[in-house]
Amino acid sequence: LAAFMSYALAFPNGFLALIDTYDVIRSGLPNFCTVAMALSDFGYEPRGIRLDSGDLAYLSTVVREKFRKIADKFEVPWFSELTIVASNDINEDTIHSLNQQGHEIDSFGVGTHLVTCQKQPALGGVYKLVEINRTPRIKLSEDVEKVTIPGRKQAYRLFGADGNALVDLMMQPSEEPPKPGQRVLCRHPFQESRRAYVIPAKVELLHKCYWDMGKVVQPLLSLCDLRTKALNSLKTIRIDHKRVLNPTPYKVSVSSQLYTFMHELWLQNAPIGELS
């Protein structure tokens, strides 16, 4: 609600809110409607909402139904016509499927699939905030893979005796880093039963600071050096991870301490449903 209010204050004539950050039905939608009605009271016209995860067909229908109910209850016909935008790696197959299901989407946000040949795919990268004023923050989503791992972290690559990379491990900065020859517990960030002990033969710190407080703090690598580093890194990845057809997913894990912290914060921030 606070984020939507700030957004509306900054862009009163362009208020189109992303409502799936926590929970569309229990959080994003009611908070949007609250701010949209307040904007209208001050003479501005809100634009609508965007959905970027979850069941787009179903959620768009729920959103439109809520818009129509508000339009009738408060006698504001324009509310039922607010724009519903859908995104999240939209392509022609997705749109065709949505049309078959039936939906209330007015506009599709097409990015990656518009400009990128599917045989030469793009590497998606999204900036996610994990801390504000040294207080960890988590982004929740109906798509588990979009839930962020909160707070500052250190990342280590653990190697086996054959020189191949076994797993990348994220830990909180306060934890003792893993050491060669010592057993460390590696946990899947979201699946409780998926965990394994790893005894690394070598440990490499992946996070290196090059830019701090507006200054370069160590020499930057040349393009040639970066290319050599990338090629050398690829040599440590097993063949089954690099094969084109059905590659084995490379494991990225969290420490037991980070796992516990993350899930406690998740529960604190997740909306609680109510049945009646």
Side-chain angles (χ1 to χ4, degrees):
L1 179 60
F4 286 174
M5 290 169 63
S6 298
Y7 181 15
L9 286 168
F11 302 98
N13 292 308
F15 182 56
L16 191 145
L18 177 68
I19 65 171
D20 66 350
T21 300
Y22 294 100
D23 186 286
V24 170
I25 297 172
R26 292 178 290 183
S27 175
L29 181 56
N31 287 324
F32 166 79
C33 293
T34 300
V35 176
M37 289 295 289
L39 265 182
S40 175
D41 289 343
F42 283 96
Y44 297 99
E45 183 179 341
R47 299 298 181 186
I49 63 95
R50 179 165 71 96
L51 299 167
D52 191 51
S53 63
D55 188 329
L56 298 178
Y58 167 72
L59 290 174
S60 69
T61 303
V62 171
V63 170
R64 184 66 70 195
E65 182 181 358
K66 177 64 72 174
F67 285 174
R68 288 171 179 152
K69 285 183 178 179
I70 290 176
D72 292 339
K73 181 177 179 62
F74 296 100
E75 298 182 352
V76 283
W78 55 267
F79 210 99
S80 65
E81 302 300 323
L82 288 174
T83 299
I84 298 176
V85 181
S87 54
N88 190 18
D89 282 338
I90 299 288
N91 59 23
E92 63 272 27
D93 294 328
T94 308
I95 295 173
H96 180 63
S97 175
L98 287 167
N99 288 338
Q100 287 183 323
Q101 296 173 63
H103 61 81
E104 291 288 343
I105 299 166
D106 299 299
S107 175
F108 295 101
V110 183
T112 302
H113 292 276
L114 181 67
V115 299
T116 307
C117 170
Q118 292 307 292
K119 294 299 180 183
Q120 295 176 327
L123 175 64
V126 182
Y127 173 85
K128 297 293 185 183
L129 189 74
V130 296
E131 184 178 280
I132 300 177
N133 296 328
R134 300 188 180 277
T135 301
R137 290 288 185 263
I138 186 171
K139 170 193 160 46
L140 303 183
S141 172
E142 293 187 5
D143 294 341
V144 173
E145 62 268 20
K146 290 191 173 183
V147 175
T148 58
I149 299 176
R152 299 190 183 198
K153 297 169 286 291
Q154 290 283 19
Y156 300 90
R157 181 158 294 166
L158 311 184
F159 296 85
D162 58 1
N164 286 332
L166 298 173
V167 61
D168 287 358
L169 176 65
M170 285 185 285
M171 308 179 75
Q172 293 185 304
S174 60
E175 296 184 76
E176 284 291 325
K179 294 181 175 60
Q182 294 186 9
R183 189 174 70 166
V184 59
L185 179 61
C186 298
R187 303 199 62 170
H188 189 284
F190 307 111
Q191 298 181 24
E192 187 174 13
S193 62
R194 295 184 63 181
R195 53 197 176 165
Y197 284 111
V198 177
I199 303 177
K202 186 180 84 168
V203 177
E204 178 185 348
L205 174 65
L206 297 180
H207 178 262
K208 298 177 178 64
C209 183
Y210 285 89
W211 180 267
D212 187 37
M213 302 297 290
K215 295 182 180 179
V216 176
V217 294
Q218 61 175 305
L220 300 176
L221 297 177
S222 67
L223 286 176
C224 184
D225 290 337
L226 288 171
R227 180 177 183 275
T228 301
K229 176 176 167 43
L231 291 173
N232 289 335
S233 294
L234 284 171
K235 291 177 182 177
T236 68
I237 305 298
R238 294 200 317 260
I239 295 296
D240 58 301
H241 291 307
K242 295 186 285 187
R243 65 191 176 204
V244 176
L245 186 63
N246 297 323
T248 303
Y250 181 77
K251 294 179 178 61
V252 177
S253 301
V254 297
S255 66
S256 186
Q257 179 175 309
L258 180 54
Y259 176 90
T260 301
F261 172 77
M262 170 187 174
H263 286 263
E264 287 177 350
L265 192 62
W266 191 341
L267 288 175
Q268 291 171 18
N269 286 274
I272 300 176
E274 184 174 332
L275 302 176
S276 59

